[in-house]
Amino acid sequence: MTTTSSRWALVTGASAGIGEAFARELAARGASLVVTARREERLAKLAAELAGKHPGLRVETIAADLADPKAPEALCADIERRGIAIDILINNAGYGVPGHYLSQPWQRHADFIQVLMTAPCELAYRLLPGMQQRRYGRIANIASLAGHVPGSAGHTMYAASKAYLIKFSQSLALENRQFGVNVCAVCPGFTYSEFHDVTGSRPLVSKMPKWMWMTSEEVAREGWDATERGEIVRVTGRVNRFIKGLIKVLPDKVGLALVQKRSKDFRVQDPH
């Protein structure tokens, strides 16, 4: 029996990519699941597959759009009405906004902030009291290697939002260790998923060498193991850890110049 057996996990953005991989990883380790995303049909398909693969596993689906400021509270209320106590929170929902800052309407940026920054914080705020009371909790905030390196031109707010999640996770982890709650910022680099299709950067990133990529399953496995061990920040993959270490020792001016030179290879500068 693993520590996740008989525990309930909430996974946001579970309809694809890293979120779906986390749902599969946790189900394999015995956790029951509440999976949420906007695409209800994908959630239903995932729930049926996991329930069939793991007899006795409970999987609840809740369609929600975390760009709605009321969604986190409504989601937690729905979970409570179903008599479920969440011990594991995977804050994964996210996406990128392509192009330069002024190329997009403000509302699109506001929605981005709501999904990638406000919603994870609110979900943690609403679910932490129960975790503290039960003296067990796991929160994995899916950040990014981008949060450790200088910001790039294009996708202006993405790295900033991930750096925010990293710092938030660090403080939250130190505040909650005494309650048996582990908080980890999981920081993947380039990962095979739908992310780059949605942002329109697939033609660019497809030119990146294969050794820079990880699968969603590898990220989820390594990220969850790190969360269980009590690591506060986990950059997944040796290549990504090397990049983080290199950037850390470079002078800021050199790091910025390097990112400026290479950003056109992986960031959409203006929307199509």
Side-chain angles (χ1 to χ4, degrees):
M1 179 177 290
T2 67
T3 56
T4 55
S5 295
S6 76
R7 303 287 185 180
W8 276 95
L10 169 62
V11 183
T12 70
S15 62
I18 293 174
E20 181 181 351
F22 259 99
R24 295 181 189 279
E25 185 69 25
L26 290 169
R29 300 188 188 215
S32 294
L33 299 169
V34 177
V35 291
T36 185
R38 292 176 299 172
R39 296 175 287 190
E40 189 169 8
E41 69 284 352
R42 286 203 178 189
L43 293 177
K45 182 179 179 180
L46 175 64
E49 178 189 333
L50 292 178
K53 187 175 181 180
H54 306 284
L57 181 74
R58 291 184 61 188
V59 184
E60 300 280 334
T61 65
I62 302 177
D65 184 356
L66 292 177
D68 180 354
K70 297 180 181 178
E73 181 179 12
L75 176 60
C76 291
D78 194 344
I79 291 170
E80 187 175 356
R81 281 194 298 271
R82 300 183 191 206
I84 296 170
I86 297 296
D87 286 315
I88 300 164
L89 170 62
I90 310 296
N91 272 319
N92 167 76
Y95 55 95
V97 177
H100 290 179
Y101 191 52
L102 294 181
S103 69
Q104 300 289 345
W106 171 249
Q107 189 57 53
R108 193 167 187 195
H109 293 312
D111 290 346
F112 178 91
I113 292 170
Q114 172 63 36
V115 173
L116 276 86
M117 298 169 70
T118 306
C121 291
E122 183 174 354
L123 288 172
Y125 185 86
R126 293 184 178 280
L127 297 174
L128 261 173
M131 296 181 186
Q132 290 181 349
Q133 185 177 17
R134 292 185 294 276
R135 297 284 166 167
Y136 178 93
R138 302 287 185 266
I139 298 175
N141 293 317
I142 310 307
S144 173
L145 175 63
H148 292 285
V149 303
S152 63
H155 297 245
T156 319
M157 300 183 68
Y158 187 77
S161 72
K162 297 305 186 178
Y164 173 91
L165 273 184
I166 293 167
K167 294 301 183 182
F168 171 66
S169 300
Q170 289 173 332
S171 294
L172 204 64
L174 296 178
E175 291 176 3
N176 285 278
R177 273 179 166 173
Q178 61 182 312
F179 299 107
V181 177
N182 295 351
V183 182
C184 181
V186 179
C187 304
F190 289 108
T191 305
Y192 291 113
S193 71
E194 294 181 355
F195 176 89
H196 300 290
D197 299 307
V198 174
T199 62
S201 58
R202 176 63 63 192
L204 288 175
V205 299
S206 294
K207 300 175 184 178
M208 305 294 288
K210 291 184 178 180
W211 52 264
M212 292 191 68
W213 292 83
M214 294 181 69
T215 66
S216 297
E217 291 75 18
E218 289 169 335
V219 171
R221 189 177 309 113
E222 186 175 335
W224 178 250
D225 285 342
T227 304
E228 276 282 72
R229 288 194 300 267
E231 290 189 39
I232 296 176
V233 177
R234 179 67 178 187
V235 177
T236 58
R238 293 181 180 178
V239 171
N240 295 322
R241 289 192 288 276
F242 172 79
I243 293 172
K244 179 200 170 187
L246 177 62
I247 290 293
K248 189 174 182 180
V249 300
L250 288 176
D252 290 346
K253 185 177 181 179
V254 176
L256 276 167
L258 182 62
V259 171
Q260 182 181 21
K261 182 178 180 180
R262 303 298 300 180
S263 63
K264 65 181 183 299
D265 296 332
F266 56 88
R267 291 284 188 248
V268 175
Q269 303 299 301
D270 286 300
H272 296 301

